[in-house]
Amino acid sequence: MKNYQLLLNPLNDENPITVQVLGICSALAVTVQMKPAIVMALSVTVVTAFSNLIISMGRNTIPPRIRIIIQLVVVAFLVIVVDQVLKAYVYDVSKKLSVFVGLIITNCILMGRLEAFAMSNKPFESFLDGIGNGAGYGLILIALGTIRELLGSGSLMGYQIIPQAFYESGYQDNGMMILPPMALITVGIIIWIQRGYNRKLIDKS
Amino acid sequence: MENLLDLFIRNVFTENMIFAYFLGMCSYLAVSKTVKTSIGLGIAVIFVITVTVPVNWILENYLLKSGALSWLGSRFENVDLSFLSFLLFIAVIAAMVQLIEMVVEKSAPALYNALGIFLPLIAVNCAVLGAALFMQEREYGTIVEATVYGFGAGFGWALAIIVLAAIREKLKYSNVPAPLRGLGLAFILTGLLAIAFMGFSGIKI
């Protein structure tokens, strides 16, 4: 595969969330507002890219029987680094993300890409694959964050978008958008729209 | 005793792992195609969470928490190892899953065959690590509370996956718009179920 395909395929045809069904847990929980969504997307991209790189460099020496534990330890090490960096520089966002930074360890995107790609490909390609999948994940996260924050609290990145005059004439924020269930329904609709345009992704059964 | 029952009910219904926190979503959506397999996975998850949460509670309270090492002598009173918790928790979970797999294989081969590949996969089920991290965040006082919390969380997860599988089995006979078939509809269904589960909020026993 060409290198640019490694970067671009995960954005649409092989999107980790809407096609591979990986990493959904965190995608839904951190998207009430845009800012945590962006921080989460960046953290996952960094961790995916570097764990892919590290595992791929050692792919010929890792004994297959204990590879899962080795993969988890590498990922856990990177996640601890990211967690400490977030705590040091963006403490309020890190508070908001709470356990979900820790849960990057069990984010299925990581294990999925390590198993499916990094174990059988060269380091540089694996690094690109990690960035591509992190970006595909981030794309959905930011789309979700935008929709939910705009409709749910009338703002983006914390800045008021919907003018005050609207509220005075009776407009109300949709409180449902902030609640967890609407995140699921929004992802469902995003999948619907994506498969409407990209018909080769439709389920056959 | 009433306190424990309340804790259990709260974690099964109002603070359901799937419908309130979106944990363990990946296997939830991927495995919920038939009721039979989802019952198997549900039981395995209940089992693993009920065992790992108390073990992690012991680690948290006698090793990781700030001041937890004071049983070693006064020199260790100010040691705070909590930054290592991700690494230790995931190691405990991976080890426990491996151990449980070996025990079940030896003592109950029928159950082992029924669970099949799901048992090892639970190591990366976010609900298991999530339960450990919530246990840490909420600071349960006794090991009994932690065990009941773990059992409740696992039970809620199992309940959720069985409900979704039953609905999806029935949906095979309906005429769904093609792009929404499969994954998209599963998301929307989960969202609707989560709205229904929100009706349980505020229950106290």
Side-chain angles (χ1 to χ4, degrees):
Chain A
M1 250 202 306
K2 294 261 169 53
N3 284 346
Y4 71 89
Q5 278 180 316
L6 290 176
L7 280 175
L8 294 183
N9 264 359
L11 294 184
N12 185 5
D13 285 358
E14 282 171 32
N15 189 289
I17 292 180
T18 60
V19 181
Q20 302 179 50
V21 207
L22 297 174
I24 294 163
C25 327
S26 52
L28 302 174
V30 297
T31 51
V32 176
Q33 288 169 334
M34 258 183 102
K35 205 173 163 198
I38 292 174
V39 173
M40 188 70 182
L42 286 177
S43 322
V44 169
T45 310
V46 169
V47 177
T48 322
F50 283 97
S51 61
N52 261 3
L53 181 69
I54 294 172
I55 292 293
S56 171
M57 284 195 291
R59 70 185 189 282
N60 295 324
T61 46
I62 296 174
R65 300 195 69 179
I66 55 163
R67 68 179 194 287
I68 290 187
I69 292 186
I70 293 181
Q71 288 165 356
L72 282 177
V73 169
V74 168
V75 171
F77 157 74
L78 286 166
V79 168
I80 290 176
V81 172
V82 166
D83 186 43
Q84 300 290 330
V85 169
L86 287 184
K87 272 192 186 135
Y89 291 101
V90 276
Y91 188 71
D92 55 324
V93 179
S94 134
K95 261 271 158 288
K96 227 177 252 165
L97 292 172
S98 81
V99 298
F100 289 97
V101 177
L103 289 175
I104 296 178
I105 299 172
T106 47
N107 193 320
C108 339
I109 292 182
L110 290 159
M111 289 294 285
R113 293 326 290 173
L114 289 178
E115 282 283 292
F117 200 89
M119 287 301 282
S120 50
N121 283 284
K122 294 203 186 87
F124 184 62
E125 276 91 19
S126 305
F127 186 71
L128 290 181
D129 181 75
I131 291 191
N133 276 285
Y137 171 82
L139 190 70
I140 301 288
L141 237 67
I142 290 167
L144 264 178
T146 316
I147 296 172
R148 287 182 75 190
E149 193 177 352
L150 189 61
L151 297 180
S153 20
S155 56
L156 281 179
M157 300 287 288
Y159 298 105
Q160 191 75 29
I161 294 288
I162 307 225
Q164 195 59 38
F166 276 43
Y167 289 101
E168 277 155 17
S169 57
Y171 175 84
Q172 284 206 336
D173 288 328
N174 183 351
M176 278 296 277
M177 291 309 284
I178 300 178
L179 298 174
M182 281 312 285
L184 288 160
I185 295 177
T186 316
V187 178
I189 292 169
I190 289 177
I191 293 177
W192 191 357
I193 295 170
Q194 190 199 8
R195 294 189 179 182
Y197 281 106
N198 200 342
R199 301 199 74 92
K200 62 176 178 276
L201 299 177
I202 292 174
D203 271 15
K204 298 289 178 299
S205 57
Chain B
M1 197 57 212
E2 268 170 27
N3 190 7
L4 291 181
L5 191 65
D6 181 41
L7 186 69
F8 177 76
I9 300 283
R10 203 170 61 226
N11 280 299
V12 173
F13 293 107
T14 55
E15 293 181 1
N16 189 291
M17 274 288 171
I18 297 268
F19 297 134
Y21 297 111
F22 309 121
L23 294 177
M25 233 17 187
C26 313
S27 42
Y28 174 77
L29 289 168
V31 181
S32 59
K33 284 186 182 127
T34 59
V35 173
K36 210 176 151 219
T37 47
S38 45
I39 290 178
L41 184 64
I43 291 173
V45 168
I46 295 179
F47 199 52
V48 172
I49 297 189
T50 319
V51 174
T52 52
V53 169
V55 173
N56 281 328
W57 185 89
I58 294 173
L59 275 182
E60 161 76 6
N61 281 281
Y62 293 100
L63 189 64
L64 295 172
K65 212 162 65 175
S66 144
L69 279 172
S70 51
W71 55 272
L72 273 179
S74 53
R75 268 198 307 147
F76 295 95
E77 251 165 25
N78 294 321
V79 180
D80 182 1
L81 291 178
S82 50
F83 66 96
L84 281 177
S85 48
F86 296 154
L87 202 59
L88 269 183
F89 286 174
I90 195 71
V92 164
I93 289 167
M96 274 296 156
V97 169
Q98 194 81 60
L99 198 71
I100 289 170
E101 194 187 357
M102 288 192 295
V103 171
V104 171
E105 193 183 2
K106 280 260 184 279
S107 59
L111 181 65
Y112 180 77
N113 287 332
L115 292 180
I117 188 175
F118 301 130
L119 213 44
L121 271 187
I122 293 169
V124 285
N125 186 327
C126 347
V128 182
L129 184 64
L133 292 176
F134 278 130
M135 175 275 298
Q136 183 186 33
E137 201 176 81
R138 294 176 191 164
E139 294 172 351
Y140 287 114
T142 63
I143 193 164
V144 181
E145 263 179 51
T147 316
V148 170
Y149 164 68
F151 183 65
F155 194 83
W157 196 91
L159 189 72
I161 194 172
I162 294 168
V163 167
L164 183 67
I167 298 176
R168 283 179 80 173
E169 271 191 0
K170 294 280 175 216
L171 272 178
K172 272 181 206 147
Y173 308 108
S174 338
N175 189 11
V176 180
L180 201 54
R181 234 175 263 159
L183 191 60
L185 196 61
F187 268 105
I188 292 179
L189 270 178
T190 315
L192 294 176
L193 279 173
I195 293 177
F197 263 65
M198 280 168 60
F200 289 117
S201 60
I203 286 186
K204 269 230 174 322
I205 290 182

